[in-house]
Amino acid sequence: RRHEICSSAMYAGLESMGLSLFADEVFRSRTVVVVNNPSGVGDREVRRIMKERYGVLITGGFGPLSGKVLRIGIMGTVSRKEVILTLIALGGSLLNLGYKIDLKSGISAALDILDKGGI
């Protein structure tokens, strides 16, 4: 139940920020959220900034998806705190790289789902 609520919040937050999700809704995982890498933004640079400035680690794609997607784990002890911090870290990193997103809208969308789910 927690994984379902946290992944739903992450998906909603990413979409509300203006990012494109990799999988159609019916095929989305509840344990790994995959978002398309914004055009013109290097996934390694995004992940480096997230790690250095926010202490948040996510992974990139591999094989044919290398450099094309970002993968965010929603397993183990992931809860409200990790969802919101990851959205802030990803959004802040993208803004730092000059990519326009609506971070406030993303956080608000995620919080709505977390609140409704009691997380």
Side-chain angles (χ1 to χ4, degrees):
R1 181 176 178 274
R2 182 173 41 82
H3 291 148
E4 182 177 353
I5 293 166
C6 288
S7 64
S8 293
M10 184 67 75
Y11 284 122
L14 293 167
E15 282 186 307
S16 292
M17 286 180 2
L19 298 173
S20 166
L21 299 175
F22 177 73
D24 289 325
E25 190 171 353
V26 295
F27 300 111
R28 291 180 189 161
S29 170
R30 294 296 178 200
T31 57
V32 180
V33 172
V34 184
V35 60
N36 292 310
N37 199 40
S39 179
V41 176
D43 73 308
R44 289 181 187 201
E45 187 67 5
V46 170
R47 292 184 292 122
R48 181 189 65 77
I49 294 170
M50 288 179 70
K51 179 181 176 183
E52 289 177 5
R53 293 194 181 167
Y54 300 93
V56 173
L57 300 173
I58 65 170
T59 61
F62 54 91
L65 294 178
S66 181
K68 296 180 181 179
V69 298
L70 297 166
R71 297 179 304 133
I72 303 166
I74 308 288
M75 296 181 280
T77 60
V78 171
S79 66
R80 176 186 195 92
K81 173 185 165 186
E82 289 79 17
V83 170
I84 298 305
L85 180 56
T86 301
L87 287 170
I88 290 169
L90 178 56
S93 299
L94 290 170
L95 288 168
N96 183 260
L97 292 169
Y99 191 81
K100 304 296 182 217
I101 53 121
D102 187 349
L103 182 55
K104 186 175 181 180
S105 178
I107 300 301
S108 179
L111 285 172
D112 283 347
I113 290 174
L114 294 166
D115 288 345
K116 288 176 188 170
I119 300 282

